[in-house]
C-alpha cells in the first residue's frame, strides 16, 4: 500500500487517529492530542549510527538508528523516558526525515532502524517513498514496543524488511500496571503474526547482517520470571526457529520507577541464567542473549 493514495495519506489517517490499539480518534490535523501527544509533524530525538543493538543489526558499521519522540505506551521503567514521556526532540518535515535516512546510508549504516515509530507511520511511509526515490537501498527495521494495530502494520507491507517488536508481558495485570497497555498480550501476538506473514523467515547477508525477518525482544523484569517463561513458550510453540528471540538482561532501574518498588532492583543474574538454560532445554536455537554487565546506563543514548 502506498501512502500517496489519498485513502492512506497522512492527512486522512491523522484526521481521526487510530494508528495504535488505543484508537484515540483525535484529529491530529487540528492540533488535538491523543495518548501519545503526537501531532502532524515528526519529532525525533536522535538520528545516528548505533553500535549497541543485536550483532546482526549493528555489525561493525552500526545501525542507522532514528529515535522518535513520544510513545503509545507509558512504561514505568522506560530507559528512554526523556524522549518517550517528556518528548524531548526536534520537529522535522517528511523531506528532512528522508534526508536523515540517506545520510545514515552514506555513513555506512547497515540499515535504517526506526525506534518507537508507531505514531508516525504515515509520515514515515511518505519519507521512505522520498528516500527510496533518491537511492535508499538498505534494509528498514521497525523497532517498536509491540503494542501495535494489525491494520497499521498492514500499511507497512513492502516498506519494512525486518520487524523487531518487544514482547513485554503475558499477563494483563502487569501490562496495565507497568505500561498502561490493556490487552497487551493479545495485541502484540496478533501484530507479530502479521509481521511474520509479511517478511517470513530470517535471511542474513554474507556478513551476518539481517536483511529480512523478525526478531522478538523480551527484556526480563524483576520478579516476573514466570512471565518470561510463558512468553518464551508461546513464541517457540508458535514460530519454532522461524523467528529469532532476543532475551535481554539489560533492565536498569530508572528514577521514574519510584512508584513501583518491585522495579527498583536489577535482574537477578541466576534468574536470567535459568531462563537461558530453559531455552536450551526447550530446543530454542535462534536466540540472542546478553551479559548482565549490560544493565548499566552507559548503554542508554544521550538524547
Amino acid at each position: 500500500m502506498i501512502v500517496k493514495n489519498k485513502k492512506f495519506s497522512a492527512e486522512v489517517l491523522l484526521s481521526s487517529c487510530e494508528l495504535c490499539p488505543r484508537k484515540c480518534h483525535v484529529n491530529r490535523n487540528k492540533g488535538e492530542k491523543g495518548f501519545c501527544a503526537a501531532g502532524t509533524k515528526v519529532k525525533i530525538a536522535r538520528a545516528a549510527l548505533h553500535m549497541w543493538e543485536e550483532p546482526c543489526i549493528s555489525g561493525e558499521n552500526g545501525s542507522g538508528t532514528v529515535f522518535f519522540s513520544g510513545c503509545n505506551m507509558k512504561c514505568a521503567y522506560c530507559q528512554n523516558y526523556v524522549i518517550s514521556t517528556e518528548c524531548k526532540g526536534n520537529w522535522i518535515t517528511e523531506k528532512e526525515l528522508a534526508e536523515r535516512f540517506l545520510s545514515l546510508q552514506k555513513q555506512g549504516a547497515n540499515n535504517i532502524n526506526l525506534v518507537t515509530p508507531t505514531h508516525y507511520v504515515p509520515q514515515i511511509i511518505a519519507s521512505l517513498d522520498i528516500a527510496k526515490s533518491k537511492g535508499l537501498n538498505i534494509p528498514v527495521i521497525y523497532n517498536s514496543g509491540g503494542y501495535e494495530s494489525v491494520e497499521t502494520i498492514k500499511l507497512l507491507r513492502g516498506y519494512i524488511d525486518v520487524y523487531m517488536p518487544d514482547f513485554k508481558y503475558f499477563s494483563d495485570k502487569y501490562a496495565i500496571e507497568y505500561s498502561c497497555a490493556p490487552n497487551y498480550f493479545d495485541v502484540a501476538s496478533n501484530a507479530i503474526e502479521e509481521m511474520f506473514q509479511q517478511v517470513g523467515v530470517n535471511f542474513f547477508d554474507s556478513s551476518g547482517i539481517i536483511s529480512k525477518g523478525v526478531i522478538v525482544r523480551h527484556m526480563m523484569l524483576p520478579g516476573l520470571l514466570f512471565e518470561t517463561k510463558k512468553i518464551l513458550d508461546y513464541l517457540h510453540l508458535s514460530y519454532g526457529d522461524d523467528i529469532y528471540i532476543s532475551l535481554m538482561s539489560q533492565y536498569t532501574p530508572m528514577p521514574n520507577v519510584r512508584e513501583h518498588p518491585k522495579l527498583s532492583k536489577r535482574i537477578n543474574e541466576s534468574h536470567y541464567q535459568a531462563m537461558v538454560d530453559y531455552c536450551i532445554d526447550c530446543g530454542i536455537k535462534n536466540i540472542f542473549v546478553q551479559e548482565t554487565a549490560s544493565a548499566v546506563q552507559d548503554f542508554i543514548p544521550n538524547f
Side-chain angles (χ1 to χ4, degrees):
M1 298 179 183
I2 304 301
V3 80
K4 291 176 181 177
N5 183 318
K6 184 66 175 176
K7 180 180 178 182
F8 303 112
S9 70
E11 181 181 358
V12 171
L13 291 170
L14 301 183
S15 64
S16 180
C17 188
E18 52 180 27
L19 288 174
C20 86
R22 298 187 188 279
K23 300 187 184 299
C24 296
H25 290 289
V26 296
N27 189 337
R28 288 165 58 177
N29 298 319
K30 293 184 177 181
E32 296 175 7
K33 304 293 185 182
F35 187 91
C36 67
T40 54
K41 290 188 70 175
V42 175
K43 196 174 190 181
I44 66 170
R46 190 172 189 263
L49 295 178
H50 190 55
M51 301 303 301
W52 306 113
E53 305 285 31
E54 286 76 359
C56 67
I57 302 291
S58 292
E60 295 183 359
N61 294 341
S63 177
T65 308
V66 180
F67 288 88
F68 293 90
S69 302
C71 186
N72 72 329
M73 300 181 71
K74 288 290 182 286
C75 299
Y77 48 84
C78 183
Q79 296 176 356
N80 297 338
Y81 70 94
V82 295
I83 66 170
S84 65
T85 301
E86 298 177 1
C87 296
K88 181 177 180 179
N90 299 302
W91 301 105
I92 60 172
T93 65
E94 293 167 359
K95 182 179 178 181
E96 289 170 333
L97 180 58
E99 290 170 353
R100 297 290 201 286
F101 296 159
L102 292 166
S103 174
L104 289 167
Q105 177 173 270
K106 188 175 181 179
Q107 293 173 52
N110 294 316
N111 41 63
I112 300 299
N113 187 350
L114 309 170
V115 182
T116 321
T118 309
H119 45 302
Y120 291 123
V121 162
Q123 299 96 320
I124 288 170
I125 291 176
S127 297
L128 287 172
D129 280 334
I130 296 169
K132 287 177 181 290
S133 73
K134 295 184 177 181
L136 183 72
N137 57 17
I138 55 178
V140 179
I141 299 174
Y142 191 86
N143 181 344
S144 82
Y147 201 53
E148 303 284 347
S149 164
V150 169
E151 291 76 15
T152 297
I153 298 301
K154 286 181 177 179
L155 290 174
L156 292 163
R157 181 179 288 273
Y159 287 96
I160 303 301
D161 302 287
V162 179
Y163 282 102
M164 192 159 61
D166 290 340
F167 206 155
K168 298 178 182 292
Y169 309 104
F170 185 87
S171 303
D172 216 34
K173 170 186 175 182
Y174 300 114
I176 294 171
E177 181 179 359
Y178 293 153
S179 294
C180 301
N183 303 314
Y184 180 89
F185 178 84
D186 289 340
V187 166
S189 57
N190 288 334
I192 291 170
E193 183 178 350
E194 172 61 26
M195 294 172 182
F196 180 74
Q197 289 296 322
Q198 286 187 23
V199 297
V201 298
N202 296 278
F203 183 82
F204 301 84
D205 67 17
S206 58
S207 300
I209 302 298
I210 191 168
S211 56
K212 183 174 73 73
V214 177
I215 300 174
V216 179
R217 285 174 161 175
H218 173 69
M219 183 173 72
M220 291 181 61
L221 295 175
L224 300 188
L225 191 64
F226 289 106
E227 286 284 291
T228 295
K229 182 177 180 294
K230 290 174 182 177
I231 288 171
L232 291 171
D233 287 343
Y234 170 79
L235 291 173
H236 186 52
L237 179 63
S238 301
Y239 299 100
D241 294 323
D242 288 339
I243 65 169
Y244 270 69
I245 299 172
S246 182
L247 184 62
M248 306 171 78
S249 64
Q250 70 184 52
Y251 176 77
T252 305
M254 303 299 287
N256 44 311
V257 302
R258 59 179 62 92
E259 295 181 6
H260 302 276
K262 293 179 181 178
L263 298 177
S264 63
K265 56 185 178 181
R266 300 182 188 276
I267 295 298
N268 185 302
E269 187 171 351
S270 64
H271 287 178
Y272 182 75
Q273 187 57 51
M275 287 297 95
V276 173
D277 293 341
Y278 181 73
C279 290
I280 294 171
D281 292 341
C282 289
I284 298 174
K285 298 177 182 178
N286 295 337
I287 186 167
F288 294 103
V289 298
Q290 289 185 316
E291 296 180 359
T292 52
S294 63
V296 293
Q297 294 190 32
D298 293 350
F299 293 97
I300 301 172
N302 181 4
F303 298 110

